[in-house]
Structures are given as C-alpha cells and as structure tokens.
Amino acid sequence: YYKIAADRGVPLAQCEVAKMYESGRGVRRNVTDAIYYYNLAASQNYAEAFYLIGKAFEEGRIVARNYEKALELYRRAAQQDHPSALYVIGLAYEYGELVERDVSVAARYFQRASNRGNVFAHFNLGIFYCQGIGVQQSFIKAKSLFELAAAEGYQCAVRSLLNRTFVEAVESEIQAIELALESETIEP
C-alpha cells in the first residue's frame, strides 16, 4: 500500500518506500530506487525526507559521505522544526563541526528540538543548564529536562536524577529561591 501511495505522490509513503528499498525490508534492496523515492519526497519540501537524505550523506550509506551536504539538508529539515534535524544541528554548534563553535546557538537548537519532543535534546539541554553552558545555570530546569528524558526511558537521564550531588544542587537552588521570595514579602 505504501508503494501505491508513494506513486500517487504522498511524501510520507515515498519516504517509507525509500527506507524499504534502502534496507531491503519487504522488497529487494535497491539503492537507486531508495534515492529516487527520497528525492520525490524532498521535491515536495518534506522535512523527513531532507533529514533522511542528510543522514545518508552523513553516514555515507547510499550516497558518498558528504558532511557539508548533510548539514545543508539538516538545515532544510530544521526550517520545518524537524526534531532530529534540530538536535543534530545543535550538536554541530556544540562541537564546532562544519560551523563555528557556539554553545549559545547549540542551546537554542536543543531547546527547539526539546520543545518538539526529542529525548536526546531534553538530556543535552539539561546538561547545558546543569553546567551553565550557553544558558544561565539552573538545576531546576536541568531536573525538569532530565525528567522528560527519563520518562522516555533515557538511562543517562535516570542516572543524573539519582546522582546525589545533583539532587543536593537542586535542593539548594530551591532553598535559595524560597529565601529570596521570603525576603521580598512585605511585613505589616
């Protein structure tokens, strides 16, 4: 049924058929057809197609490895708020890969990806808040992000939430906020 929908111009189906041809799942593996269907979906400005083709260029799977082309395609997907593309671009800025290193920009991409539900972005942004990288340090915000990632089963986030030093830092920040609020209270 995907093939019928793909041939009728449905970009989601075109991506699914491309993945089938790429992996050989349910059909005979055919890289040429995989590329053809990915390109059909991309020609309709379909974010997932840009992301998947970008990933193929990054990994050198069905096309020659080309990091610059991968980043360009990730950017096209990110323009449509594709969560995984936003996360990958955030990593590029965090580590200065193909772009000038800028942790503030990385944090903004992680925030956008986190807002779209990317579990890895939840965790990385949590680390940024925990360490004050590209954002103002906030253990409370870090905890909230780690909780989002942990709820999706991300074990690094679970371990972070159980870390005694982190728990103490969160409690200390909460106490500081409570004291600040108490001092703002006007006494009669």
Side-chain angles (χ1 to χ4, degrees):
Y1 295 108
Y2 278 128
K3 180 85 166 69
I4 293 168
D7 290 337
R8 289 187 178 163
V10 178
L12 170 67
Q14 291 165 339
C15 279
E16 290 303 315
V17 169
K19 287 190 272 187
M20 292 167 67
Y21 279 123
E22 181 180 350
S23 68
R25 180 178 39 94
V27 296
R28 186 178 173 135
R29 188 171 191 274
N30 186 323
V31 172
T32 303
D33 284 346
I35 293 168
Y36 171 76
Y37 280 101
Y38 280 135
N39 284 330
L40 280 179
S43 72
Q44 297 182 70
N45 203 35
Y46 190 58
E48 180 73 0
F50 292 132
Y51 172 74
L52 292 171
I53 298 168
K55 190 171 176 152
F57 273 108
E58 180 184 5
E59 297 173 356
R61 281 194 330 255
I62 57 175
V63 292
R65 179 170 280 145
N66 183 329
Y67 294 116
E68 290 83 7
K69 185 72 173 168
L71 184 61
E72 174 191 326
L73 290 159
Y74 287 145
R75 285 187 189 282
R76 291 191 67 186
Q79 288 171 348
Q80 298 177 50
D81 283 335
H82 188 284
S84 296
L86 291 165
Y87 172 72
V88 170
I89 293 172
L91 289 175
Y93 278 100
E94 179 180 6
Y95 294 106
E97 296 174 355
L98 301 177
V99 295
E100 189 170 326
R101 185 171 192 265
D102 188 331
V103 292
S104 295
V105 173
R108 288 194 297 273
Y109 274 102
F110 289 154
Q111 183 65 64
R112 287 175 60 197
S114 177
N115 291 347
R116 303 284 294 170
N118 185 286
V119 67
F120 304 111
H122 296 326
F123 182 73
N124 279 32
L125 188 58
I127 293 292
F128 274 33
Y129 274 109
C130 197
Q131 298 178 1
I133 300 171
V135 294
Q136 184 174 343
Q137 187 175 43
S138 170
F139 294 106
I140 294 170
K141 287 181 181 179
K143 179 179 183 268
S144 171
L145 289 157
F146 290 159
E147 287 171 342
L148 288 171
E152 295 185 44
Y154 194 60
Q155 291 304 304
C156 291
V158 172
R159 285 192 294 277
S160 295
L161 289 167
L162 296 174
N163 179 289
R164 195 173 110 208
T165 305
F166 177 71
V167 170
E168 290 170 357
V170 171
E171 290 170 355
S172 177
E173 188 173 311
I174 291 170
Q175 289 173 352
I177 291 170
E178 289 172 346
L179 284 173
L181 291 174
E182 285 176 17
S183 69
E184 290 178 9
T185 305
I186 301 173
E187 295 186 25

